[in-house]
C-alpha cells in the first residue's frame, strides 16, 4: 500500500528554475543533470541525487530532495542516469547498476567547473546501490571534498532483489518495470538500429531474464549472475570510509538484504543502518505537518543526515 500510494498520490513540489548540465561520463556518452544553486555555490554543501530503475530527475522523491535540500541551504544536483531524462537519442548505450563511474564523472565535473567545496551523495533504490558502490570503491581514497552518502531502499543485493520481484505478490512491480524496459529498448532499436535488436525481447517474462539477455549482452557481462555479482554494492560496502546512512523498510516488497550484507553493514562503524517496520519501497509516507512537510519521512531524514556536514 505504501509503495503504490507514493506512486499514485498527487503531489506538487515547487522548485525554482534549474541550470541544465550535460556531463560526458564516457567518450561520446552524456547524462543530463539539473543543477539548483545557492547564491554562493562554492560555499554550500552540494548534494548529488541519483534516481532508481526507470526513474528520472522528474521522479517525486528527486523533486522532494531538491526542495528540502534547497531549503536547508544546499546546492542540489539531480542526476539522470544514461538514457533517462530524455537522453535516449544521445548514444547507443544502456544504463545499468554497475555504472558508479558515471556518478564519479558528474562529481569531477562539479569539482572542476564549479569549485564546490564539499559534497554528499544521495540515492534511491538502484541509485542507492550506485552511490554506495562508488563510496565503497573510493574507500579512503575518494575526493577530499566527499563528506557523506545516504541511500533509501538501496538494491545492494541485486540477485536476491531481482528474484524477489518474480514472486506472485510482486508481479505487478515486475510487469511495470518490464513494460518500461521493453519500451526503452524498442526506442533504442529505432534510434540505433545497427546497435540494438528488439527481437531479443521475445520470450522475456522476468527481470532476471531481461538482465541475462539484454543488460548483460549489451553492457559487457557474461550473463545475469555475472552482472549482479559485479554491480552489487554489497561487495564493497565494508570499504566505505565516510559517514553513511542506509534506510530500509522491513516490508519493502522486493528489495532484499542478505544476512552477509547486513553483517558487513553492521561491522562498518561509518554506516548507520535504519530499518523501519513500515515504508514500502522508497515511500515512507507519514502525516503532513504545519511546516510544509508533505509526509515523505525518508526524504527528510536523508537531507537532515547530510545537513550535518554542511
Amino acid at each position: 500500500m505504501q509503495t503504490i500510494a507514493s506512486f499514485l498520490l498527487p503531489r506538487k513540489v515547487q522548485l525554482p528554475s534549474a541550470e541544465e548540465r550535460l556531463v560526458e561520463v564516457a567518450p561520446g556518452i552524456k547524462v543530463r543533470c539539473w543543477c539548483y544553486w545557492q547564491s554562493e555555490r562554492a560555499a554550500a554543501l552540494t548534494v548529488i541525487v541519483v534516481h532508481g530503475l526507470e526513474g528520472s530527475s522528474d521522479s517525486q522523491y528527486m523533486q522532494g530532495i531538491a526542495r528540502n535540500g534547497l531549503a536547508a541551504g544546499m546546492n542540489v544536483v539531480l542526476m539522470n542516469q544514461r538514457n533517462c531524462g530524455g537522453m535516449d537519442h544521445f548514444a547507443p548505450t544502456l544504463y545499468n547498476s554497475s555504472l558508479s563511474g558515471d556518478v564519479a564523472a558528474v562529481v569531477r565535473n562539479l569539482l572542476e567547473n564549479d569549485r564546490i567545496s564539499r559534497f554528499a551523495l544521495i540515492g534511491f533504490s538502484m541509485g542507492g546501490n550506485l552511490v554506495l558502490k562508488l563510496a565503497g570503491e573510493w574507500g579512503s581514497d575518494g575526493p577530499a571534498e566527499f563528506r557523506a552518502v545516504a541511500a533509501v531502499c538501496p538494491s545492494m543485493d541485486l540477485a536476491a532483489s531481482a528474484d524477489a520481484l518474480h514472486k506472485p505478490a510482486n508481479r505487478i512491480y515486475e510487469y511495470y518495470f518490464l513494460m518500461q524496459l521493453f519500451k526503452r529498448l524498442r526506442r533504442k532499436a529505432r534510434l540505433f538500429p545497427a546497435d540494438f535488436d528488439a527481437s531479443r525481447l521475445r520470450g522475456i517474462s522476468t527481470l532476471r531474464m531481461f538482465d541475462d539477455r539484454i543488460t548483460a549482452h549489451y553492457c559487457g557481462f557474461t550473463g545475469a549472475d555475472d552482472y549482479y555479482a559485479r554491480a552489487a554494492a554489497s561487495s564493497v560496502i565494508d570499504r566505505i570510509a565516510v559517514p553513511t546512512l542506509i534506510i530500509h523498510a522491513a516490508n519493502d516488497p522486493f528489495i532484499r538484504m542478505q544476512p552477509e550484507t547486513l553483517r558487513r553493514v553492521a561491522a562498518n562503524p561509518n554506516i548507520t543502518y535504519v530499518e523501519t517496520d513500515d515504508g514500502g519501497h522508497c515511500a515512507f509516507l507519514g502525516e503532513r505537518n504545519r511546516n510544509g512537510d508533505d509526509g515523505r519521512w525518508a526524504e527528510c531524514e536523508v537531507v537532515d543526515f547530510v545537513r550535518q556536514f554542511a
Side-chain angles (χ1 to χ4, degrees):
M1 290 176 64
Q2 283 260 350
T3 305
I4 295 174
S6 69
F7 185 79
L8 296 178
L9 285 175
R11 184 185 187 193
K12 287 185 178 181
V13 177
Q14 300 293 331
L15 293 173
S17 298
E19 173 197 322
E20 181 183 20
R21 179 78 58 91
L22 298 181
V23 178
E24 188 170 57
V25 295
I29 300 172
K30 295 181 179 180
V31 300
R32 174 176 280 143
C33 298
W34 294 102
C35 305
Y36 297 88
W37 299 113
Q38 299 291 335
S39 57
E40 296 189 20
R41 66 181 68 176
L45 176 72
T46 298
V47 178
I48 301 159
V49 196
V50 189
H51 61 79
L53 181 66
E54 285 303 291
S56 74
S57 56
D58 291 329
S59 296
Q60 289 192 24
Y61 52 80
M62 298 284 279
Q63 300 281 297
I65 293 292
R67 180 196 59 196
N68 296 351
L70 284 171
M74 305 172 193
N75 303 317
V76 180
V77 176
L78 303 183
M79 174 187 167
N80 287 286
Q81 296 188 51
R82 298 186 188 190
N83 299 323
C84 302
M87 295 290 283
D88 272 315
H89 62 289
F90 260 68
T93 181
L94 299 178
Y95 73 108
N96 66 78
S97 290
S98 75
L99 297 174
S100 49
D102 287 6
V103 184
V106 170
V107 169
R108 285 194 299 272
N109 181 279
L110 297 170
L111 290 171
E112 293 169 5
N113 292 299
D114 303 285
R115 305 298 178 188
I116 59 173
S117 57
R118 51 203 178 281
F119 70 90
L121 303 174
I122 294 177
F124 287 77
S125 194
M126 177 184 178
N129 178 73
L130 284 169
V131 298
L132 293 173
K133 180 172 180 285
L134 178 59
E137 290 166 343
W138 276 342
S140 57
D141 298 320
E145 299 83 357
F146 185 30
R147 293 291 186 269
V149 58
V152 179
C153 301
S155 51
M156 291 193 294
D157 287 313
L158 289 163
S161 298
D163 292 339
L165 264 175
H166 194 58
K167 293 183 178 297
N170 290 331
R171 287 293 276 166
I172 184 175
Y173 307 115
E174 187 169 48
Y175 285 141
Y176 171 78
F177 286 132
L178 288 176
M179 178 180 67
Q180 298 298 109
L181 290 166
F182 276 38
K183 285 168 58 179
R184 186 176 299 280
L185 188 75
R186 290 182 179 123
R187 187 161 57 246
K188 297 295 283 190
R190 289 195 299 271
L191 291 166
F192 303 98
D195 297 286
F196 295 99
D197 179 8
S199 70
R200 294 187 66 87
L201 293 170
R202 291 182 192 138
I204 292 178
S205 59
T206 70
L207 184 63
R208 177 179 276 274
M209 291 174 67
F210 182 92
D211 285 335
D212 195 61
R213 297 187 191 177
I214 304 298
T215 307
H217 177 76
Y218 288 115
C219 300
F221 301 97
T222 59
D225 288 337
D226 179 46
Y227 166 50
Y228 294 150
R230 289 165 57 188
S234 56
S235 62
V236 295
I237 199 77
D238 53 333
R239 293 168 47 195
I240 293 179
V242 298
T244 301
L245 173 65
I246 297 174
I247 295 176
H248 176 64
N251 69 345
D252 189 308
F254 48 84
I255 295 299
R256 298 291 181 265
M257 299 282 192
Q258 298 292 78
E260 177 57 29
T261 298
L262 292 174
R263 281 193 290 271
R264 289 185 176 189
V265 166
N268 188 331
N270 297 305
I271 300 176
T272 299
Y273 177 75
V274 177
E275 181 173 292
T276 63
D277 292 332
D278 196 18
H281 183 63
C282 295
F284 300 95
L285 299 178
E287 294 184 6
R288 301 168 184 260
N289 65 34
R290 70 186 73 181
N291 298 320
D293 172 19
D294 55 1
R296 265 64 174 188
W297 174 80
E299 293 173 19
C300 295
E301 285 295 302
V302 293
V303 169
D304 285 346
F305 177 75
V306 299
R307 190 179 191 174
Q308 302 172 69
F309 311 98

